[in-house]
Amino acid sequence: MDNLVKEKVCLEIGSSKLRAIVAKEGVNNTLFVKELACRDYDGYFQGEFIDFSHLGPNLYDLFNSIDFKKKKYNKKLFIALPAEMTKVINVVVGIDVEGIKKITKNDLEGLKLQAIQKIKNDENEIISVSALSYKVDEVQVENPIGQKGRNLSGEFSIILCDKNLIEKFNTIFSDIGFSNVEYVSEALCQALFIVPVEERKEGAILIDVGHLSTSISYIKNQGLLSLTSFSIGGGHVTSDLSEAFELAYEDADRLKKMVVLSVEPDALDYYDLPSIQGKIERIPQGYANEVVSYRLETIASAINQCLLMQNISLINYLPVYLCGAGASKIKGGKDFIAKCLGRNIILGITPLPGKDKPEDSVIYSIANYAIKNCE
C-alpha cells in the first residue's frame, strides 16, 4: 500500500491522442513507469474539443485499459491542460515588512496570496502560481528567505483555465470514478523538466509542434513569462501530402515519414511509397519536399508571430528547444524550422535514460512534475 501512495496517475490531453501514465520515482532520480496507455480521439481545435460528447467514453476506455479501478488508480488523477486551453498572466506585488527583519517562508506565502487575490475572478480557475523573481528593498535576490529588509516584492506567473471547462472536466472524471483530480499546465511541466535550471535563470524558449496544435513557452526560473499557441501542426503536413498526391491519409502519413528535407533531390528522384492498396506509388521527391517545406514555413512564420507577441523576437541568445512529433519526426524538420527562425534549435527531450523521444516529452514531464511537486 505504501508503494501505491507514491504512484502518480497522470493524463495527457493531446491534439490527437489521450495518454495515461502510472509512474513513481525510480532509483537515481529516474522514473519507473508501471502503466502507459494511449487512445486516438478526435482532438481539439482552437481550444475546443472537436467532439466533446465522445471525450468521456474515450477517457473511460483509456483508463479501463489499465484496469484503473481494480488496481486502485482512481484515488487521484493529475490532468495536464494543453496550452490552447490555458493562459498566463504575470503579476507584480509587494508587501512592507514591519521594521527591518529577516524574510520568512510565511512572508513569501503572503506575497503569493496577494498575487492570487489580484487576479482571482469567477470566470477562471487558477492552475498554478510560480515565482519568476523576488526583490528585497528593490534589490533582486534569488532566494529572499533569511534576507533582511523593509520591503519584499515579487513577480509571479499565474496560469489560468476557463472555469466552465474545469467544471465539465470535473463532471467527466467524477463519473468515470476518480475521487480527486488536480490540474497542471502541460507547457509548464515540459519547460521545468526539459530546460536545465541554469538556462532557466536567463530564460529559454520551448516550442512544441504537435499533431494539430503548436505552443510557444517562454520559461524563466520556475514559471512561464508567456505562453502562446495556434491550431496548426504535423497533421496538416499529412493532409497537404494527401491532397497534393491524392493519397489516403494513412499513405500520406507514411510518405511524410519518408521525406528527407536535408537532402536536395534530383529531378528524377522518387519516393517509392507502398500504399494501403498493396501497390507502389512513385512520388517525385522534389514535389513532396516542397509540399512539406511549405507547411513547415507556415508553422515557422506563425511561431515568429508568437515570438513577436511575447516580446522576445529580438532576444537571440535565448536557447530554443523543439518538442512534439509534428516537426521533429520529419527528417530534417528541426533544422528546417531553425533556418526559418534564424535560430539554433535543440531537440527537447527529457533527461531520463531510454525516454528520449521528443514526442514523449509531455507525458514523462507530467509524471515527473506530479512526483516532484504535488503532494
Side-chain angles (χ1 to χ4, degrees), residues 339-374:
K339 184 180 177 181
C340 291
L341 296 180
R343 296 171 180 264
N344 292 323
I345 289 183
I346 308 158
L347 207 57
I349 58 175
T350 71
L352 299 169
K355 299 176 176 64
D356 55 356
K357 295 180 180 179
E359 64 266 33
D360 292 333
S361 63
V362 172
I363 193 68
Y364 294 131
S365 295
I366 299 164
N368 177 75
Y369 186 90
I371 290 168
K372 299 290 175 61
N373 297 280
C374 302

Side-chain angles (χ1 to χ4, degrees), residues 249-293:
Y249 191 86
E250 294 87 341
D251 289 339
D253 196 52
R254 198 176 298 111
L255 175 60
K256 182 173 70 174
K257 294 172 183 175
M258 298 174 70
V259 166
V260 181
L261 296 180
S262 53
V263 177
E264 188 70 33
D266 292 329
L268 297 178
D269 287 339
Y270 292 86
Y271 294 115
D272 290 327
L273 174 69
S275 73
I276 57 174
Q277 296 175 342
K279 59 181 181 179
I280 301 297
E281 300 277 357
R282 301 206 76 196
I283 308 294
Q285 287 189 15
Y287 186 21
N289 287 15
E290 187 180 318
V291 171
V292 173
S293 298

Side-chain angles (χ1 to χ4, degrees), residues 121-152:
N121 58 59
D122 294 331
E123 296 178 0
N124 295 303
E125 188 85 19
I126 295 174
I127 303 304
S128 71
V129 183
S130 308
L132 295 169
S133 63
Y134 290 109
K135 287 182 180 180
V136 176
D137 293 342
E138 298 304 314
V139 177
Q140 189 159 314
V141 294
E142 191 170 321
N143 182 6
I145 295 178
Q147 301 273 351
K148 287 186 177 180
R150 295 178 182 274
N151 179 271
L152 170 67

Side-chain angles (χ1 to χ4, degrees), residues 189-197 199-200 205-208 320-325 328-329 334 345-366 368:
C189 292
Q190 267 187 295
L192 289 174
F193 199 32
I194 290 169
V195 183
V197 175
E199 288 187 0
R200 282 194 266 119
I205 300 167
L206 191 142
I207 300 167
D208 189 319
V320 181
Y321 290 83
L322 177 66
C323 303
S328 65
K329 295 295 284 184
K334 175 180 76 73
I345 289 183
I346 308 158
L347 207 57
I349 58 175
T350 71
L352 299 169
K355 299 176 176 64
D356 55 356
K357 295 180 180 179
E359 64 266 33
D360 292 333
S361 63
V362 172
I363 193 68
Y364 294 131
S365 295
I366 299 164
N368 177 75

Side-chain angles (χ1 to χ4, degrees), residues 77-321:
L77 174 66
F78 293 89
I79 303 163
L81 297 171
E84 287 198 26
M85 298 177 191
T86 59
K87 63 180 178 180
V88 173
I89 294 178
N90 296 332
V91 178
V92 177
V93 289
I95 56 174
D96 291 323
V97 181
E98 292 183 9
I100 300 178
K101 72 175 191 106
K102 287 184 178 180
I103 306 297
T104 66
K105 188 177 179 180
N106 286 339
D107 292 324
L108 296 193
E109 288 299 319
L111 201 65
K112 182 177 177 180
L113 182 61
Q114 191 179 125
I116 291 171
Q117 293 298 330
K118 195 169 183 178
I119 58 94
K120 196 172 183 180
N121 58 59
D122 294 331
E123 296 178 0
N124 295 303
E125 188 85 19
I126 295 174
I127 303 304
S128 71
V129 183
S130 308
L132 295 169
S133 63
Y134 290 109
K135 287 182 180 180
V136 176
D137 293 342
E138 298 304 314
V139 177
Q140 189 159 314
V141 294
E142 191 170 321
N143 182 6
I145 295 178
Q147 301 273 351
K148 287 186 177 180
R150 295 178 182 274
N151 179 271
L152 170 67
S153 63
E155 183 178 10
F156 291 88
S157 168
I158 301 178
I159 299 179
L160 305 168
C161 179
D162 181 78
K163 190 167 284 187
N164 289 331
L165 180 60
I166 294 296
E167 288 173 356
K168 289 179 181 178
F169 276 141
N170 286 343
T171 300
I172 287 175
F173 293 111
S174 176
D175 290 344
I176 290 174
F178 285 95
S179 57
N180 188 11
V181 295
E182 183 167 334
Y183 297 93
V184 298
S185 162
E186 174 187 294
L188 180 61
C189 292
Q190 267 187 295
L192 289 174
F193 199 32
I194 290 169
V195 183
V197 175
E198 290 305 311
E199 288 187 0
R200 282 194 266 119
K201 288 180 181 179
E202 295 297 322
I205 300 167
L206 191 142
I207 300 167
D208 189 319
V209 183
H211 184 67
L212 297 175
S213 179
T214 296
S215 66
I216 301 91
S217 311
Y218 183 11
I219 180 78
K220 185 75 177 287
N221 293 321
Q222 296 298 111
L224 298 183
L225 268 172
S226 57
L227 175 65
T228 52
S229 59
F230 54 88
S231 291
I232 310 175
H236 294 84
V237 177
T238 308
S239 295
D240 290 348
L241 289 170
S242 175
E243 184 177 341
F245 299 105
E246 297 182 349
L247 298 171
Y249 191 86
E250 294 87 341
D251 289 339
D253 196 52
R254 198 176 298 111
L255 175 60
K256 182 173 70 174
K257 294 172 183 175
M258 298 174 70
V259 166
V260 181
L261 296 180
S262 53
V263 177
E264 188 70 33
D266 292 329
L268 297 178
D269 287 339
Y270 292 86
Y271 294 115
D272 290 327
L273 174 69
S275 73
I276 57 174
Q277 296 175 342
K279 59 181 181 179
I280 301 297
E281 300 277 357
R282 301 206 76 196
I283 308 294
Q285 287 189 15
Y287 186 21
N289 287 15
E290 187 180 318
V291 171
V292 173
S293 298
Y294 180 80
R295 178 59 71 172
L296 289 185
E297 277 187 51
T298 303
I299 292 173
S301 177
I303 291 170
N304 259 327
Q305 289 300 312
C306 290
L307 294 176
L308 282 169
M309 289 169 58
Q310 292 171 299
N311 297 317
I312 50 177
S313 59
L314 300 178
I315 311 177
N316 293 319
Y317 64 83
L318 293 176
V320 181
Y321 290 83

